[in-house]
Short mmCIF file of all heavy atoms in Angstrom, two decimals:
data_model
loop_
_atom_site.label_atom_id
_atom_site.label_comp_id
_atom_site.label_asym_id
_atom_site.label_seq_id
_atom_site.Cartn_x
_atom_site.Cartn_y
_atom_site.Cartn_z
N SER K 57 12.87 14.91 -36.60
CA SER K 57 12.68 15.39 -35.23
C SER K 57 13.82 14.99 -34.30
O SER K 57 13.92 15.49 -33.20
CB SER K 57 11.37 14.85 -34.67
OG SER K 57 11.45 13.44 -34.49
N GLY K 58 14.68 14.08 -34.74
CA GLY K 58 15.75 13.61 -33.87
C GLY K 58 15.27 12.58 -32.87
O GLY K 58 16.03 12.13 -32.03
N ASP K 59 14.01 12.20 -32.95
CA ASP K 59 13.44 11.22 -32.03
C ASP K 59 13.81 9.79 -32.40
O ASP K 59 13.70 8.90 -31.59
CB ASP K 59 11.92 11.38 -32.02
CG ASP K 59 11.24 10.44 -31.02
OD1 ASP K 59 11.75 10.31 -29.90
OD2 ASP K 59 10.21 9.85 -31.38
N LEU K 60 14.26 9.57 -33.63
CA LEU K 60 14.54 8.21 -34.08
C LEU K 60 15.85 7.71 -33.46
O LEU K 60 16.83 8.45 -33.38
CB LEU K 60 14.64 8.15 -35.60
CG LEU K 60 13.38 8.56 -36.37
CD1 LEU K 60 13.64 8.50 -37.86
CD2 LEU K 60 12.20 7.68 -35.99
N PRO K 61 15.90 6.43 -33.06
CA PRO K 61 17.11 5.88 -32.46
C PRO K 61 18.31 5.84 -33.41
O PRO K 61 19.45 5.93 -32.97
CB PRO K 61 16.70 4.46 -32.05
CG PRO K 61 15.21 4.50 -31.95
CD PRO K 61 14.77 5.50 -32.97
N ILE K 62 18.04 5.67 -34.72
CA ILE K 62 19.09 5.70 -35.74
C ILE K 62 18.52 6.37 -36.98
O ILE K 62 17.31 6.39 -37.17
CB ILE K 62 19.63 4.29 -36.11
CG1 ILE K 62 18.51 3.36 -36.57
CG2 ILE K 62 20.40 3.68 -34.97
CD1 ILE K 62 18.99 2.01 -37.07
N PRO K 63 19.39 6.92 -37.84
CA PRO K 63 18.89 7.52 -39.08
C PRO K 63 18.21 6.47 -39.96
O PRO K 63 18.64 5.31 -40.00
CB PRO K 63 20.15 8.04 -39.76
CG PRO K 63 21.20 8.07 -38.71
CD PRO K 63 20.84 7.04 -37.70
N ALA K 64 17.16 6.89 -40.65
CA ALA K 64 16.41 5.97 -41.52
C ALA K 64 16.27 6.57 -42.91
O ALA K 64 15.93 7.73 -43.07
CB ALA K 64 15.03 5.70 -40.93
N VAL K 65 16.58 5.75 -43.91
CA VAL K 65 16.39 6.10 -45.31
C VAL K 65 15.10 5.44 -45.77
O VAL K 65 14.87 4.26 -45.49
CB VAL K 65 17.57 5.60 -46.17
CG1 VAL K 65 17.30 5.80 -47.65
CG2 VAL K 65 18.86 6.27 -45.74
N LEU K 66 14.25 6.18 -46.45
CA LEU K 66 12.98 5.63 -46.93
C LEU K 66 13.10 5.16 -48.37
O LEU K 66 13.69 5.84 -49.21
CB LEU K 66 11.89 6.70 -46.86
CG LEU K 66 11.42 7.08 -45.48
CD1 LEU K 66 10.53 8.31 -45.54
CD2 LEU K 66 10.70 5.94 -44.82
N VAL K 67 12.53 3.99 -48.64
CA VAL K 67 12.42 3.46 -50.00
C VAL K 67 10.95 3.10 -50.19
O VAL K 67 10.37 2.40 -49.36
CB VAL K 67 13.30 2.21 -50.20
CG1 VAL K 67 13.09 1.61 -51.57
CG2 VAL K 67 14.77 2.55 -49.99
N VAL K 68 10.36 3.59 -51.26
CA VAL K 68 8.94 3.31 -51.51
C VAL K 68 8.81 2.08 -52.40
O VAL K 68 9.44 1.99 -53.45
CB VAL K 68 8.25 4.52 -52.17
CG1 VAL K 68 6.81 4.19 -52.52
CG2 VAL K 68 8.31 5.73 -51.25
N GLN K 69 8.02 1.14 -51.95
CA GLN K 69 7.69 -0.06 -52.70
C GLN K 69 6.45 0.30 -53.51
O GLN K 69 5.34 0.28 -52.99
CB GLN K 69 7.43 -1.22 -51.72
CG GLN K 69 7.20 -2.55 -52.36
CD GLN K 69 6.93 -3.63 -51.30
OE1 GLN K 69 6.40 -3.35 -50.24
NE2 GLN K 69 7.28 -4.86 -51.61
N ALA K 70 6.64 0.65 -54.77
CA ALA K 70 5.56 1.20 -55.60
C ALA K 70 4.31 0.32 -55.59
O ALA K 70 3.20 0.81 -55.52
CB ALA K 70 6.05 1.41 -57.03
N THR K 71 4.51 -0.97 -55.68
CA THR K 71 3.40 -1.92 -55.64
C THR K 71 3.67 -2.90 -54.51
O THR K 71 4.71 -3.57 -54.52
CB THR K 71 3.29 -2.71 -56.96
OG1 THR K 71 3.15 -1.78 -58.03
CG2 THR K 71 2.12 -3.65 -56.95
N PRO K 72 2.80 -2.99 -53.51
CA PRO K 72 3.02 -3.94 -52.43
C PRO K 72 3.17 -5.35 -52.99
O PRO K 72 2.24 -5.88 -53.57
CB PRO K 72 1.77 -3.81 -51.56
CG PRO K 72 1.22 -2.46 -51.88
CD PRO K 72 1.57 -2.22 -53.33
N ALA K 73 4.36 -5.91 -52.86
CA ALA K 73 4.63 -7.23 -53.43
C ALA K 73 5.25 -8.16 -52.40
O ALA K 73 5.99 -9.07 -52.75
CB ALA K 73 5.54 -7.08 -54.65
N GLY K 74 5.00 -7.91 -51.13
CA GLY K 74 5.46 -8.81 -50.08
C GLY K 74 6.83 -8.46 -49.53
O GLY K 74 7.54 -7.60 -50.03
#
Side-chain angles (χ1 to χ4, degrees):
S57 68
D59 183 43
L60 299 178
I62 57 174
V65 173
L66 289 170
V67 175
V68 176
Q69 185 181 30
T71 303

